[in-house]
Amino acid sequence: MELSQRLSHSKCHLFGPVILLSGLLLIAGLLTVTPPGVHAQVLYGSIVGVVEDQTGAVVPNAAVSITIGATGQTRETVANETGRYSFANVLPGSYSLKVVASGFRPYTETNVIATINTVTRIDIKLLVGTAVEEITVAASAALLQTDKADVHVELNTKEITNLPLSNFRNYQSLINLVPGATPGTFQNSVQGAPGRALSNNINGTNRNNNITRLDGAVNLYLWLPHHTAYVAPSETIETVNIATDNFDAEQGMAGGAAITVATKSGTNELHGSAFLYHTNNHLKAKNFFTVGELPKNILNMFGFTLGGPIKKNKLFFFGGLVAMRQRLNSDGTYTVATADQRNGVFSAYSTL
């Protein structure tokens, strides 16, 4: 289960002058040795742009804010002297962007989409006017990526939910759609890969050169670097970003593909899902050489997800459960090719 909350204030109650002095010294020491924050963009996105007037002149010191619709959380900044603004470490989602500057009409742009490992550029042109006159624009998808040089494919919740997946409902089967990827194959034994992880070769490179991160953490076996350790259930995935060339500096350990998986989080609305998947040997086609019924192969997968608010605009929850049960055996009766079949003579067999 995942809990997320932005904490702006904290209180600490210490009793006695000795404890108080020790606490102050400890805090001072931490402030001294703590390094400056690093703005990693693998798990997050960015929203950047330039604020200008109708003539193309920059508008400095404009107040810029973004609000994510799903949770109502807002971030604010001020454009610099060249009119540029930037929001780093932006959670994926749909945002409303608002710009306010003295002497200009307030400007609002809705449906600004931020996704992981991607820079979203929204350049603003303000019109002269008063604060009571406001301009609202519905954003459209950007056709070109101009702020990054990497080559990537993005799979969102819609694609993962609606496109056909493999028997084990593994999102990794959709990597087959990425240009330069070979079809995914199972790895090792069932005991070594209970999640039925798949591996791909990307652009002719060795599969050991791929790296998968789940919510920012490296997700592989060190002794089997081509092997994803944990396969997130498809119902829990928000976005999968698959970079295949010109990786950013933070995409370390990548040579073939840098795969970043971001899971869902709770929102201000209660949402959930439930599913049941079943297949067995009676629903599968028989091999030409199989006599009688196919060997037993019964697969059941079931689970649910649930997410929502704990405190509106502040604290959210999201969790889920997925279970899989499979019963199979390899016992069966099979024929061998006849002499005619071995010689390539099939005239005695129907083509229907």
Side-chain angles (χ1 to χ4, degrees):
M1 179 173 291
E2 177 183 329
L3 296 176
S4 59
Q5 181 183 28
R6 181 178 297 277
L7 300 178
S8 57
H9 302 281
S10 62
K11 298 181 180 179
C12 182
H13 299 279
L14 301 177
F15 300 93
V18 176
I19 298 178
L20 177 59
L21 179 60
S22 301
L24 292 175
L25 291 175
L26 177 59
I27 293 172
L30 291 175
L31 291 176
T32 302
V33 301
T34 302
V38 178
H39 299 294
Q41 294 296 293
V42 175
L43 185 57
Y44 305 98
S46 299
I47 298 177
V48 302
V50 179
V51 182
E52 300 175 337
D53 62 15
Q54 291 173 276
T55 66
V58 299
V59 179
N61 303 321
V64 186
S65 64
I66 56 173
T67 302
I68 185 169
T71 63
Q73 295 173 311
T74 298
R75 291 177 58 181
E76 299 176 346
T77 190
V78 176
N80 62 17
E81 63 277 4
T82 63
R84 299 181 183 275
Y85 71 90
S86 175
F87 293 96
N89 298 333
V90 176
L91 292 172
S94 176
Y95 287 80
S96 174
L97 184 147
K98 186 171 184 178
V99 181
V100 177
S102 178
F104 296 91
R105 300 179 187 177
Y107 179 96
T108 300
E109 187 156 339
T110 60
N111 196 33
V112 175
I113 304 299
T115 58
I116 61 175
N117 196 30
T118 302
V119 178
T120 301
R121 172 168 288 277
I122 304 294
D123 293 329
I124 306 299
K125 284 192 177 295
L126 299 180
L127 300 179
V128 176
T130 64
V132 296
E133 303 174 292
E134 184 170 353
I135 300 174
T136 302
V137 177
S140 58
L143 298 179
L144 295 176
Q145 176 181 276
T146 59
D147 294 275
K148 293 185 63 179
D150 74 325
V151 178
H152 68 261
V153 173
E154 190 169 276
L155 302 173
N156 294 313
T157 300
K158 182 178 180 180
E159 289 84 3
I160 296 172
T161 302
N162 294 335
L163 290 176
L165 299 177
S166 64
N167 281 346
F168 301 101
R169 309 184 72 254
N170 186 342
Y171 76 91
Q172 292 177 315
S173 62
L174 298 180
I175 299 177
N176 298 351
L177 304 177
V178 175
T182 62
T185 57
F186 286 118
Q187 307 172 71
N188 305 92
S189 63
V190 173
Q191 289 78 12
R196 306 303 196 271
L198 303 175
S199 66
N200 305 77
N201 295 89
I202 307 292
N203 294 332
T205 61
N206 191 294
R207 61 181 181 168
N208 290 347
N209 293 335
N210 300 332
I211 178 73
T212 299
R213 290 180 175 86
L214 177 63
D215 288 335
V218 174
N219 183 19
L220 53 77
Y221 292 119
L222 295 179
W223 57 93
L224 293 172
H226 62 279
H227 202 311
T228 302
Y230 173 71
V231 180
S234 58
E235 285 74 19
T236 66
I237 295 175
E238 179 72 29
T239 307
V240 180
N241 183 284
I242 306 150
T244 58
D245 202 0
N246 288 340
F247 307 104
D248 292 334
E250 61 265 29
Q251 295 280 19
M253 301 173 63
I259 303 169
T260 303
V261 181
T263 58
K264 296 177 181 177
S265 180
T267 66
N268 279 329
E269 296 182 359
L270 191 66
H271 290 286
S273 65
F275 72 91
L276 173 64
Y277 173 80
H278 170 82
T279 186
N280 59 53
N281 50 291
H282 300 292
L283 302 176
K284 298 181 180 295
K286 289 200 302 183
N287 184 285
F288 179 81
F289 297 102
T290 300
V291 178
E293 293 187 356
L294 287 170
K296 178 186 291 186
N297 186 356
I298 302 174
L299 174 65
N300 290 294
M301 296 183 68
F302 53 91
F304 70 91
T305 63
L306 183 65
I310 296 177
K311 184 176 182 181
K312 189 175 181 179
N313 295 341
K314 294 292 184 181
L315 182 64
F316 314 92
F317 75 93
F318 180 86
L321 170 69
V322 176
M324 178 177 68
R325 294 178 179 176
Q326 186 172 23
R327 291 174 290 168
L328 56 83
N329 61 51
S330 58
D331 296 335
T333 304
Y334 305 90
T335 63
V336 297
T338 64
D340 286 344
Q341 293 169 348
R342 290 195 295 270
N343 292 325
V345 179
F346 298 98
S347 57
Y349 304 95
S350 171
T351 58
L352 299 178

